[in-house]
Amino acid sequence: MATRLYTHPIFLEHITPPGHPERPDRLRAIERVLDDEAFSALDRVIAPEGDEATILYAHPGNFVERVRAAIPQSGIVSIDADTSASPKSWQAVVRAIGAANAAVDDVFEGRAANAFVAARPPGHHAEKTTAMGFCFFNTAAIAARHAQKKHQAERVAIVDWDVHHGNGTQDIFWDDPSVLYCSTHQMPLYPGTGAKSETGAGNIVNAPLAPQTGGDLFRDAFLSRVLPSIDAFAPDLIIISAGFDAHHRDPLAEINLTEDDFDWATGQLMECAGRHSGNKLVSLLEGGYDLQGLAFSVAAHVGRLMKG
């Protein structure tokens, strides 16, 4: 089985204001790098439209309807100080969720070795009832619940290496020991959450990194906190919230990782998946705002996924 790549042209039609870091060019940069012959073996699939009912796995109905009602007929509107919506934003969000859930189906039903979903907008800042930080709904959380509801996964691990803490994922699973949430992130930094002391029901593992941290301390956080937690949890599925804004080129933070660090972390999580989940692993794009750093990091990440 091959690594499956999900994307869709609609993700380019979620328009943000001029100068906004979360812009369509992010996906264009990823598309260009993955067009290289080195990625010819990727199983490329058009992201399906998602079942909107699955959004309710992580968010209440009245919040979903508020977001839907905020989508403009024309132009761009602000959802919050950082988060904007345009006329095609709803379609983009629903296809991002559809792709993530389809990727979960693929690894449980034997259609793919693993999967990477190149979608936007991202999701990990979306709390149960709050859209924020470029995010509308929490795609990783919905995919985790989908694995539990459709495939009877008892335990799902979400590993988030985006440079910004995934406050939304932590909020949704705060008191749910069936989902492990592990995060490496810069601290202090937006959104201000993610201290080591934030442990939920014993299922939240935060490994904050100081500004100017490099790959050595990032890898140490994985080896000392993240990987032992996954091994103790023994998940049936690993979902990666794969933000690449901890790259040293990224303009929104001050962590100095290279693409080799993302390659290494991917390999470590694949080994965990091999030990515990029958290699079931799904990766979802989150942040990454320097186009070169993003493209090189995604290439390293997907290249490692393809090695199996």
Side-chain angles (χ1 to χ4, degrees), residues 22-93:
E22 206 294 285
R23 60 205 190 275
D25 281 346
R26 299 178 63 232
L27 280 197
R28 295 188 180 101
I30 290 172
E31 289 170 359
R32 283 193 297 270
V33 77
L34 295 182
D35 276 344
D36 188 272
E37 186 178 348
F39 301 99
S40 60
L42 272 175
D43 181 14
R44 300 165 191 264
V45 179
I46 291 292
E49 187 172 356
D51 179 355
E52 293 182 14
T54 64
I55 303 172
L56 302 177
Y57 294 167
H59 304 281
N62 58 351
F63 169 66
V64 176
E65 291 310 313
R66 286 204 312 272
V67 173
R68 189 200 304 267
I71 304 300
Q73 294 296 311
S74 62
I76 300 172
V77 300
S78 294
I79 303 296
D80 79 347
D82 302 306
T83 310
S84 300
S86 59
K88 296 296 181 68
S89 294
W90 182 264
Q91 291 97 314
V93 167

Side-chain angles (χ1 to χ4, degrees), residues 100-132:
N101 289 344
V104 169
D105 293 342
D106 289 339
V107 298
F108 273 95
E109 296 170 5
R111 289 187 294 271
N114 49 50
F116 178 65
V117 177
R120 54 182 292 277
H124 74 147
H125 290 308
E127 297 180 342
K128 290 176 186 176
T129 60
T130 306
M132 59 184 287

Side-chain angles (χ1 to χ4, degrees), residues 38-305:
F39 301 99
S40 60
L42 272 175
D43 181 14
R44 300 165 191 264
V45 179
I46 291 292
E49 187 172 356
D51 179 355
E52 293 182 14
T54 64
I55 303 172
L56 302 177
Y57 294 167
H59 304 281
N62 58 351
F63 169 66
V64 176
E65 291 310 313
R66 286 204 312 272
V67 173
R68 189 200 304 267
I71 304 300
Q73 294 296 311
S74 62
I76 300 172
V77 300
S78 294
I79 303 296
D80 79 347
D82 302 306
T83 310
S84 300
S86 59
K88 296 296 181 68
S89 294
W90 182 264
Q91 291 97 314
V93 167
V94 171
R95 285 216 183 250
I97 292 165
N101 289 344
V104 169
D105 293 342
D106 289 339
V107 298
F108 273 95
E109 296 170 5
R111 289 187 294 271
N114 49 50
F116 178 65
V117 177
R120 54 182 292 277
H124 74 147
H125 290 308
E127 297 180 342
K128 290 176 186 176
T129 60
T130 306
M132 59 184 287
F134 316 159
C135 305
F136 295 78
F137 302 124
N138 197 304
T139 313
I142 294 164
R145 286 284 187 241
H146 179 71
Q148 293 179 323
K149 291 177 179 291
K150 184 172 181 179
H151 301 286
Q152 291 73 55
E154 294 182 5
R155 296 174 305 281
V156 179
I158 300 174
V159 180
D160 186 340
W161 65 49
D162 191 284
V163 82
H164 303 93
H165 181 246
N167 59 295
T169 313
Q170 176 170 292
D171 173 64
I172 290 166
F173 296 116
W174 181 256
D175 56 359
D176 182 354
S178 74
V179 177
L180 175 70
Y181 177 67
C182 299
S183 176
T184 60
H185 50 273
Q186 181 177 323
M187 196 173 199
L189 192 65
Y190 180 91
T193 52
K196 284 184 179 181
S197 59
E198 297 167 18
T199 58
N203 61 318
I204 306 295
V205 179
N206 287 312
L209 304 171
Q212 305 306 328
T213 291
D216 53 346
L217 292 180
F218 167 76
R219 296 186 189 206
D220 180 68
F222 251 68
L223 292 170
S224 64
R225 292 181 60 77
V226 174
L227 301 178
S229 298
I230 296 172
D231 283 334
F233 187 69
D236 302 309
L237 169 69
I238 295 176
I239 296 173
I240 304 175
S241 272
F244 298 99
D245 39 7
H247 191 277
H248 67 91
R249 290 180 56 94
D250 201 274
L252 297 193
E254 302 161 291
I255 299 296
N256 295 315
L257 303 191
T258 69
E259 45 269 32
D260 289 342
D261 294 310
F262 294 115
D263 179 309
W264 176 86
T266 306
Q268 293 296 312
L269 294 179
M270 291 174 71
E271 290 180 13
C272 285
R275 288 194 293 273
H276 302 295
S277 66
N279 296 305
K280 297 180 187 69
L281 184 149
V282 169
S283 177
L284 311 177
L285 179 67
E286 300 281 5
Y289 305 105
D290 176 83
L291 299 184
Q292 180 178 315
L294 173 64
F296 288 0
S297 298
V298 167
H301 176 56
V302 173
R304 176 55 70 101
L305 290 176

